[in-house]
Amino acid sequence: MSDYDVRLWRALHRALLVLALGTVLLLIGLGRGAQRADSLFGLLLLGLAVAPAALTVRGMPPHARARLPELPKHRLLLTITAALLACSAVLTALWTLVNLLVPGVLAPLSLAVPVLAGAGLTTLAGRLTRTRRR
């Protein structure tokens, strides 16, 4: 496993942690319903979740970034985790947009929770398979 794979896993772990905690805290904090102003928290959550991955990819040398499209062939669990996190981020962004237009809707945000659970399971599987290889 290369150093870049380890960096990508760490970035995905950070994004998973931020998205999972933020989504659950938003759902708990919103309680009965969301107001339009709560969409700012959704934007903040998305910014904090996307930042680690974006900074990690930006900090890679050009030859490593050029090989990113090959990840699905070689690092399946990493790819699945990234895809699930992207789906969760899209659901959170959808909630933010819908909440601006029609406050009180929590459905997209609550759908993000099982997706994040799936991302957590693939992350756990990735950790278990990495430790076995060493």
Side-chain angles (χ1 to χ4, degrees):
M1 179 175 291
S2 73
D3 180 48
Y4 301 116
D5 290 342
V6 173
R7 288 182 190 180
L8 285 172
W9 272 115
R10 285 183 186 157
L12 290 179
H13 289 161
R14 289 182 189 117
L16 174 63
L17 181 66
V18 168
L19 273 173
L21 289 176
T23 302
V24 170
L25 288 175
L26 266 173
L27 282 172
I28 290 171
L30 295 175
R32 294 183 182 156
Q35 304 297 320
R36 281 193 170 103
D38 295 328
S39 295
L40 293 175
F41 294 116
L43 285 175
L44 178 66
L45 174 63
L46 286 171
L48 290 173
V50 171
L55 290 174
T56 299
V57 171
R58 187 171 181 219
M60 292 175 138
H63 71 277
R65 274 186 293 210
R67 297 193 68 192
L68 284 176
E70 298 174 13
L71 270 179
K73 296 176 192 171
H74 305 290
R75 303 285 185 241
L76 185 61
L77 287 175
L78 183 77
T79 306
I80 291 171
T81 303
L84 288 172
L85 286 174
C87 288
S88 173
V90 166
L91 286 168
T92 305
L94 180 65
W95 172 80
T96 302
L97 181 64
V98 168
N99 192 54
L100 278 172
L101 302 173
V102 184
V105 176
L106 296 176
L109 199 58
S110 60
L111 287 174
V113 174
V115 175
L116 286 167
L121 289 174
T122 58
T123 300
L124 178 64
R127 280 191 181 251
L128 291 175
T129 57
R130 277 193 318 226
T131 56
R132 241 187 303 166
R133 286 186 201 156
R134 290 182 187 172

